[in-house]
Amino acid sequence: MNTVYGAILSPFVRKVLLTLEHKGIDYHNEPVRPFVNPESFAAVSPLRKIPAFTDDYVTLADSSVICDYLEHKYPQRPVYPRSPAERARALWFEEYADTTLQQPLGPGLFFPTVVAPVMFKRAVDETLVQDSIKALPPYQDYLERELGANGFLVGGEPTIADFSVAGVFLNGHYAGYDVDARRWPRLAAYLQRCWQHPLFQRRMAQEAPILAAMRKAVAGAR
Ligand SMILES: N[C@@H](CCC(=O)N[C@@H](CS)C(=O)NCC(=O)O)C(=O)O
């Protein structure tokens, strides 16, 4: 059985689940939490980060490695484009989202407003939140230039590029941050297009009750 370890609100776990669901592959999710998982989790994820993945053949950590494995194991309905140029562009956006773009949206916004108050009973770090919002315009300017008026980052169908970029922006959205459509109209429309796609809708429907419970806990702690 394909097992994905990791809480489903993580953008990296979401990327793996979107890949599996796009390909129509069954899986089991073990909702291991970040930061507070048991030492024994290192057996599947040496850095104890989420996601990790196991099947009958491999034990893998890192969402990009897992998605690459899934693409080769299940070549149907590819999430990485076949043409070298398009594939490279998709890989670039995956890397861009997973490394730098996710910093202000995940650790900078989602973590201090949703995760830390619930998991660590910490007050919202408003300085971090404001600094993260201030850091975002150059990323958004870049994406605005890269996007067309329609379609996705690489062609007319969602790829790993969109699972990654729209996935990290979704955590920002969950933290109450939205791209200003007057200044970044293509990016704002693109994000809506991604989030309205059935793949993201399915993810968001499963994430909603968990998010609601976390928000309730935050409100109760105030
Ligand atoms: N490059 C990794 C990043 C994974 C990652 O940073 N996951 C976060 C949760 S969103 C985590 O587990 N953080 C816990 C930690 O850093 O100890 C991937 O793509 O899987």
PDB file of all heavy atoms in Angstrom, residues 160-178:
ATOM      1  N   ILE A 160       2.864  19.750 -11.803  1.00  0.00           N
ATOM      2  CA  ILE A 160       3.534  19.859 -10.510  1.00  0.00           C
ATOM      3  C   ILE A 160       3.844  21.325 -10.176  1.00  0.00           C
ATOM      4  O   ILE A 160       3.887  21.712  -9.003  1.00  0.00           O
ATOM      5  CB  ILE A 160       4.828  18.999 -10.515  1.00  0.00           C
ATOM      6  CG1 ILE A 160       5.320  18.729  -9.103  1.00  0.00           C
ATOM      7  CG2 ILE A 160       5.919  19.632 -11.362  1.00  0.00           C
ATOM      8  CD1 ILE A 160       4.566  17.671  -8.374  1.00  0.00           C
ATOM      9  N   ALA A 161       4.042  22.148 -11.211  1.00  0.00           N
ATOM     10  CA  ALA A 161       4.325  23.569 -10.983  1.00  0.00           C
ATOM     11  C   ALA A 161       3.172  24.222 -10.238  1.00  0.00           C
ATOM     12  O   ALA A 161       3.373  25.003  -9.295  1.00  0.00           O
ATOM     13  CB  ALA A 161       4.559  24.269 -12.323  1.00  0.00           C
ATOM     14  N   ASP A 162       1.946  23.897 -10.638  1.00  0.00           N
ATOM     15  CA  ASP A 162       0.766  24.499 -10.015  1.00  0.00           C
ATOM     16  C   ASP A 162       0.477  23.868  -8.645  1.00  0.00           C
ATOM     17  O   ASP A 162       0.068  24.565  -7.716  1.00  0.00           O
ATOM     18  CB  ASP A 162      -0.447  24.331 -10.933  1.00  0.00           C
ATOM     19  CG  ASP A 162      -0.127  24.778 -12.346  1.00  0.00           C
ATOM     20  OD1 ASP A 162       0.118  25.979 -12.532  1.00  0.00           O
ATOM     21  OD2 ASP A 162      -0.058  23.921 -13.244  1.00  0.00           O
ATOM     22  N   PHE A 163       0.701  22.556  -8.526  1.00  0.00           N
ATOM     23  CA  PHE A 163       0.515  21.926  -7.214  1.00  0.00           C
ATOM     24  C   PHE A 163       1.419  22.620  -6.194  1.00  0.00           C
ATOM     25  O   PHE A 163       1.051  22.797  -5.036  1.00  0.00           O
ATOM     26  CB  PHE A 163       0.865  20.435  -7.258  1.00  0.00           C
ATOM     27  CG  PHE A 163       0.027  19.595  -8.192  1.00  0.00           C
ATOM     28  CD1 PHE A 163       0.401  18.301  -8.507  1.00  0.00           C
ATOM     29  CD2 PHE A 163      -1.144  20.097  -8.756  1.00  0.00           C
ATOM     30  CE1 PHE A 163      -0.369  17.518  -9.354  1.00  0.00           C
ATOM     31  CE2 PHE A 163      -1.919  19.319  -9.615  1.00  0.00           C
ATOM     32  CZ  PHE A 163      -1.520  18.026  -9.919  1.00  0.00           C
ATOM     33  N   SER A 164       2.616  23.009  -6.659  1.00  0.00           N
ATOM     34  CA  SER A 164       3.599  23.605  -5.753  1.00  0.00           C
ATOM     35  C   SER A 164       3.281  25.075  -5.484  1.00  0.00           C
ATOM     36  O   SER A 164       3.155  25.484  -4.318  1.00  0.00           O
ATOM     37  CB  SER A 164       5.002  23.489  -6.358  1.00  0.00           C
ATOM     38  OG  SER A 164       5.270  22.164  -6.765  1.00  0.00           O
ATOM     39  N   VAL A 165       3.133  25.871  -6.546  1.00  0.00           N
ATOM     40  CA  VAL A 165       2.957  27.323  -6.369  1.00  0.00           C
ATOM     41  C   VAL A 165       1.588  27.633  -5.744  1.00  0.00           C
ATOM     42  O   VAL A 165       1.505  28.334  -4.723  1.00  0.00           O
ATOM     43  CB  VAL A 165       3.132  28.056  -7.721  1.00  0.00           C
ATOM     44  CG1 VAL A 165       2.710  29.515  -7.602  1.00  0.00           C
ATOM     45  CG2 VAL A 165       4.584  27.954  -8.187  1.00  0.00           C
ATOM     46  N   ALA A 166       0.511  27.097  -6.342  1.00  0.00           N
ATOM     47  CA  ALA A 166      -0.823  27.390  -5.787  1.00  0.00           C
ATOM     48  C   ALA A 166      -0.980  26.727  -4.422  1.00  0.00           C
ATOM     49  O   ALA A 166      -1.741  27.209  -3.579  1.00  0.00           O
ATOM     50  CB  ALA A 166      -1.913  26.931  -6.750  1.00  0.00           C
ATOM     51  N   GLY A 167      -0.230  25.645  -4.201  1.00  0.00           N
ATOM     52  CA  GLY A 167      -0.284  24.969  -2.898  1.00  0.00           C
ATOM     53  C   GLY A 167       0.279  25.822  -1.785  1.00  0.00           C
ATOM     54  O   GLY A 167      -0.315  25.913  -0.703  1.00  0.00           O
ATOM     55  N   VAL A 168       1.409  26.471  -2.011  1.00  0.00           N
ATOM     56  CA  VAL A 168       1.968  27.296  -0.926  1.00  0.00           C
ATOM     57  C   VAL A 168       1.140  28.571  -0.727  1.00  0.00           C
ATOM     58  O   VAL A 168       0.969  29.029   0.405  1.00  0.00           O
ATOM     59  CB  VAL A 168       3.479  27.620  -1.087  1.00  0.00           C
ATOM     60  CG1 VAL A 168       4.315  26.360  -0.963  1.00  0.00           C
ATOM     61  CG2 VAL A 168       3.792  28.337  -2.361  1.00  0.00           C
ATOM     62  N   PHE A 169       0.589  29.117  -1.828  1.00  0.00           N
ATOM     63  CA  PHE A 169      -0.290  30.291  -1.661  1.00  0.00           C
ATOM     64  C   PHE A 169      -1.565  29.921  -0.891  1.00  0.00           C
ATOM     65  O   PHE A 169      -2.151  30.779  -0.224  1.00  0.00           O
ATOM     66  CB  PHE A 169      -0.655  30.906  -3.014  1.00  0.00           C
ATOM     67  CG  PHE A 169       0.310  31.963  -3.480  1.00  0.00           C
ATOM     68  CD1 PHE A 169       1.223  31.696  -4.484  1.00  0.00           C
ATOM     69  CD2 PHE A 169       0.316  33.234  -2.903  1.00  0.00           C
ATOM     70  CE1 PHE A 169       2.122  32.673  -4.918  1.00  0.00           C
ATOM     71  CE2 PHE A 169       1.210  34.212  -3.326  1.00  0.00           C
ATOM     72  CZ  PHE A 169       2.113  33.933  -4.332  1.00  0.00           C
ATOM     73  N   LEU A 170      -1.979  28.660  -0.995  1.00  0.00           N
ATOM     74  CA  LEU A 170      -3.180  28.255  -0.254  1.00  0.00           C
ATOM     75  C   LEU A 170      -2.945  28.360   1.257  1.00  0.00           C
ATOM     76  O   LEU A 170      -3.844  28.765   2.006  1.00  0.00           O
ATOM     77  CB  LEU A 170      -3.591  26.828  -0.659  1.00  0.00           C
ATOM     78  CG  LEU A 170      -4.902  26.313  -0.099  1.00  0.00           C
ATOM     79  CD1 LEU A 170      -6.085  27.234  -0.426  1.00  0.00           C
ATOM     80  CD2 LEU A 170      -5.201  24.898  -0.632  1.00  0.00           C
ATOM     81  N   ASN A 171      -1.738  28.036   1.699  1.00  0.00           N
ATOM     82  CA  ASN A 171      -1.454  28.196   3.134  1.00  0.00           C
ATOM     83  C   ASN A 171      -1.481  29.665   3.533  1.00  0.00           C
ATOM     84  O   ASN A 171      -1.930  30.007   4.634  1.00  0.00           O
ATOM     85  CB  ASN A 171      -0.131  27.526   3.501  1.00  0.00           C
ATOM     86  CG  ASN A 171      -0.301  26.031   3.609  1.00  0.00           C
ATOM     87  OD1 ASN A 171      -0.419  25.352   2.592  1.00  0.00           O
ATOM     88  ND2 ASN A 171      -0.368  25.501   4.809  1.00  0.00           N
ATOM     89  N   GLY A 172      -1.015  30.549   2.638  1.00  0.00           N
ATOM     90  CA  GLY A 172      -1.127  31.983   2.912  1.00  0.00           C
ATOM     91  C   GLY A 172      -2.589  32.396   3.012  1.00  0.00           C
ATOM     92  O   GLY A 172      -2.987  33.132   3.925  1.00  0.00           O
ATOM     93  N   HIS A 173      -3.406  31.891   2.091  1.00  0.00           N
ATOM     94  CA  HIS A 173      -4.854  32.179   2.096  1.00  0.00           C
ATOM     95  C   HIS A 173      -5.482  31.703   3.412  1.00  0.00           C
ATOM     96  O   HIS A 173      -6.285  32.414   4.027  1.00  0.00           O
ATOM     97  CB  HIS A 173      -5.470  31.468   0.891  1.00  0.00           C
ATOM     98  CG  HIS A 173      -6.958  31.547   0.813  1.00  0.00           C
ATOM     99  ND1 HIS A 173      -7.642  32.721   0.596  1.00  0.00           N
ATOM    100  CD2 HIS A 173      -7.908  30.572   0.951  1.00  0.00           C
ATOM    101  CE1 HIS A 173      -8.948  32.477   0.575  1.00  0.00           C
ATOM    102  NE2 HIS A 173      -9.130  31.191   0.789  1.00  0.00           N
ATOM    103  N   TYR A 174      -5.099  30.518   3.851  1.00  0.00           N
ATOM    104  CA  TYR A 174      -5.622  29.999   5.122  1.00  0.00           C
ATOM    105  C   TYR A 174      -5.211  30.895   6.298  1.00  0.00           C
ATOM    106  O   TYR A 174      -5.882  30.926   7.323  1.00  0.00           O
ATOM    107  CB  TYR A 174      -5.114  28.581   5.371  1.00  0.00           C
ATOM    108  CG  TYR A 174      -5.751  27.502   4.509  1.00  0.00           C
ATOM    109  CD1 TYR A 174      -5.168  26.243   4.429  1.00  0.00           C
ATOM    110  CD2 TYR A 174      -6.925  27.732   3.794  1.00  0.00           C
ATOM    111  CE1 TYR A 174      -5.740  25.231   3.660  1.00  0.00           C
ATOM    112  CE2 TYR A 174      -7.503  26.722   3.017  1.00  0.00           C
ATOM    113  CZ  TYR A 174      -6.904  25.484   2.957  1.00  0.00           C
ATOM    114  OH  TYR A 174      -7.464  24.479   2.201  1.00  0.00           O
ATOM    115  N   ALA A 175      -4.093  31.587   6.129  1.00  0.00           N
ATOM    116  CA  ALA A 175      -3.626  32.497   7.193  1.00  0.00           C
ATOM    117  C   ALA A 175      -4.271  33.881   7.056  1.00  0.00           C
ATOM    118  O   ALA A 175      -3.953  34.789   7.821  1.00  0.00           O
ATOM    119  CB  ALA A 175      -2.112  32.616   7.144  1.00  0.00           C
ATOM    120  N   GLY A 176      -5.145  34.047   6.052  1.00  0.00           N
ATOM    121  CA  GLY A 176      -5.843  35.321   5.889  1.00  0.00           C
ATOM    122  C   GLY A 176      -5.208  36.247   4.873  1.00  0.00           C
ATOM    123  O   GLY A 176      -5.615  37.405   4.733  1.00  0.00           O
ATOM    124  N   TYR A 177      -4.199  35.742   4.146  1.00  0.00           N
ATOM    125  CA  TYR A 177      -3.509  36.592   3.163  1.00  0.00           C
ATOM    126  C   TYR A 177      -4.000  36.258   1.751  1.00  0.00           C
ATOM    127  O   TYR A 177      -4.031  35.093   1.363  1.00  0.00           O
ATOM    128  CB  TYR A 177      -1.989  36.354   3.214  1.00  0.00           C
ATOM    129  CG  TYR A 177      -1.278  37.120   2.120  1.00  0.00           C
ATOM    130  CD1 TYR A 177      -1.053  38.487   2.258  1.00  0.00           C
ATOM    131  CD2 TYR A 177      -0.879  36.492   0.945  1.00  0.00           C
ATOM    132  CE1 TYR A 177      -0.448  39.206   1.230  1.00  0.00           C
ATOM    133  CE2 TYR A 177      -0.268  37.204  -0.072  1.00  0.00           C
ATOM    134  CZ  TYR A 177      -0.056  38.557   0.088  1.00  0.00           C
ATOM    135  OH  TYR A 177       0.531  39.267  -0.917  1.00  0.00           O
ATOM    136  N   ASP A 178      -4.356  37.294   0.994  1.00  0.00           N
ATOM    137  CA  ASP A 178      -4.723  37.084  -0.407  1.00  0.00           C
ATOM    138  C   ASP A 178      -4.007  38.089  -1.294  1.00  0.00           C
ATOM    139  O   ASP A 178      -3.824  39.250  -0.922  1.00  0.00           O
ATOM    140  CB  ASP A 178      -6.241  37.181  -0.591  1.00  0.00           C
ATOM    141  CG  ASP A 178      -6.916  35.858  -0.241  1.00  0.00           C
ATOM    142  OD1 ASP A 178      -6.493  34.819  -0.786  1.00  0.00           O
ATOM    143  OD2 ASP A 178      -7.823  35.858   0.618  1.00  0.00           O
TER     144      ASP A 178
END
